């Protein structure tokens, strides 16, 4: 037996020190699935608007003519169905799970679509939650999806790790807010992506400002934004800023996100289209 060089890329031996490649860790999709691009939406902390950004990106890409799906990986705090006013149950035909579609045809898989009451808490331990996310990928028939957005829970725990390891991500979008501590939070998410060799497609800042209804002035409720500095520091693209928009909030509350009329993430949709077409 030859001496170990610790270079697993050039060795076929299955020894104890061998680390599986990312391709080896990927979960197999359903045999009937067809998904071209998978985009993760992440953040280092909660409450910054990942689900809002996920929903808006899905609507924007659907309006561009693409077939879009959303995998709601926030198992204990699912909010995607609410934003779309979707309450159809997940169906199964023996071969796999069929995600219900929204009014405009966006396919959604969420644990809230599998509960009798959407307010019922999901009290599961980490491994069970992570396993459910993998099932949403492997046991769901994603039919001819051009862009599948994955709404991740905050942080760098079990579920984001499962998404990074098990799903064939083309890249991630990091969502932040204007507070000073956001630089540290963004760096946590960015470092995790780097360790897992996942490209960061760009940053989106939510709750950037509010527009005065009388004079039209932009008011920085949380102080001056530092998102441009952060983007420059890490070499990321700034994909968009979303203000505190009461009209947008009302649409989400009513489940009418597909009726939104704004251009907050138009640039983000263009960047996604360009980045994925180049791969």
């Amino acid at each position: 037996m030859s001496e170990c060089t610790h270079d697993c890329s050039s060795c076929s031996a299955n020894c104890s020190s061998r680390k599986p490649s990312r391709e080896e860790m990927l979960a197999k999709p359903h045999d009937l699935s067809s998904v071209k691009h998978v985009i993760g939406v992440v953040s280092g902390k909660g409450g910054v608007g990942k689900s809002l950004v996920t929903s808006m990106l899905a609507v924007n890409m659907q309006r561009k003519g693409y077939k879009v799906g959303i995998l709601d990986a926030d198992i204990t705090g699912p909010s995607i169905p609410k934003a779309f006013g979707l309450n159809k149950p997940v169906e199964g035909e023996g071969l796999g799970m069929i995600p219900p579609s929204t009014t405009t045809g966006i396919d959604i898989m969420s644990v809230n679509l599998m509960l009798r009451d959407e307010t019922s808490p999901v009290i599961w331990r980490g491994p069970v939650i992570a396993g459910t996310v993998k099932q949403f990928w492997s046991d769901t028939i994603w039919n001819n999806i051009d862009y599948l957005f994955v709404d991740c829970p905050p942080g760098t725990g079990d579920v984001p790790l499962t998404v990074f390891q098990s799903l064939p991500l083309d890249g991630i979008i990091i969502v932040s807010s204007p507070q000073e501590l956001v630089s540290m939070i963004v760096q946590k998410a960015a470092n995790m992506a780097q360790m897992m060799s996942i490209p960061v497609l760009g940053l989106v800042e939510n709750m950037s400002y509010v527009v005065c209804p009388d004079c039209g002035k932009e008011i920085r409720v949380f102080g001056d934004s530092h998102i441009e500095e952060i983007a420059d520091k890490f070499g990321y693209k700034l994909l968009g800023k979303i203000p505190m928009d009461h009209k947008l909030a009302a649409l989400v509350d009513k489940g009418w996100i597909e009726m939104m009329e704004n251009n907050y993430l138009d640039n983000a949709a263009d960047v996604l289209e360009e980045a994925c077409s180049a791969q």
Side-chain angles (χ1 to χ4, degrees), residues 58-243:
V59 171
N60 276 19
M61 296 309 290
Q62 190 275 338
R63 289 178 177 176
K64 279 178 168 284
Y66 295 106
K67 176 63 177 175
V68 178
I70 300 177
L71 191 161
D72 189 355
D74 196 349
I75 304 299
T76 59
S79 55
I80 293 294
K82 174 68 175 177
F84 286 87
L86 187 64
N87 51 26
K88 303 174 187 175
V90 174
E91 297 181 359
E93 55 178 26
L95 295 176
M97 296 186 291
I98 309 296
S101 297
T102 68
T103 303
T104 61
I106 297 174
D107 293 347
I108 294 179
M109 177 57 72
S110 172
V111 73
N112 253 20
L113 301 175
M114 307 175 78
L115 301 175
R116 293 182 179 179
D117 182 353
E118 66 177 12
T119 63
S120 298
V122 177
I123 309 175
W124 298 343
R125 294 190 182 276
V128 177
I129 295 174
T132 301
V133 172
K134 290 179 69 172
Q135 283 187 294
F136 282 178
W137 168 253
S138 298
D139 296 351
T140 300
I141 301 176
W142 295 103
N143 187 26
N144 294 321
I145 299 295
D146 295 308
Y147 289 89
L148 179 67
F149 292 96
V150 183
D151 183 22
C152 293
T156 55
D158 284 345
V159 174
L161 182 61
T162 296
V163 171
F164 279 39
Q165 288 182 331
S166 303
L167 273 60
L169 293 175
D170 290 88
I172 64 168
I173 291 173
I174 301 176
V175 183
S176 67
S177 58
Q179 289 95 334
E180 277 285 349
L181 56 78
V182 77
S183 178
M184 176 191 69
I185 300 302
V186 168
Q187 190 160 358
K188 283 181 180 291
N191 286 341
M192 181 178 183
Q194 185 176 24
M195 291 172 65
M196 304 298 296
S197 300
I198 305 294
V200 176
L201 300 175
L203 309 178
V204 172
E205 183 177 76
N206 188 31
M207 299 178 285
S208 293
Y209 55 90
V210 62
V211 177
C212 175
D214 296 323
C215 66
K217 180 181 178 181
E218 294 183 359
I219 303 171
R220 311 290 171 176
V221 179
F222 296 108
D224 292 335
S225 171
H226 300 279
I227 195 68
E228 287 91 352
E229 301 168 21
I230 297 169
D232 289 340
K233 177 180 178 180
F234 297 118
Y236 299 150
K237 294 180 179 180
L238 176 56
L239 302 180
K241 292 183 177 182
I242 304 174

Side-chain angles (χ1 to χ4, degrees), residues 7-25:
D7 182 7
C8 296
S9 63
S10 61
C11 177
S12 60
N14 189 23
C15 65
S16 59
S17 62
R18 181 179 179 84
K19 296 181 179 179
S21 65
R22 181 165 178 260
E23 287 71 22
E24 292 172 324
M25 291 188 290

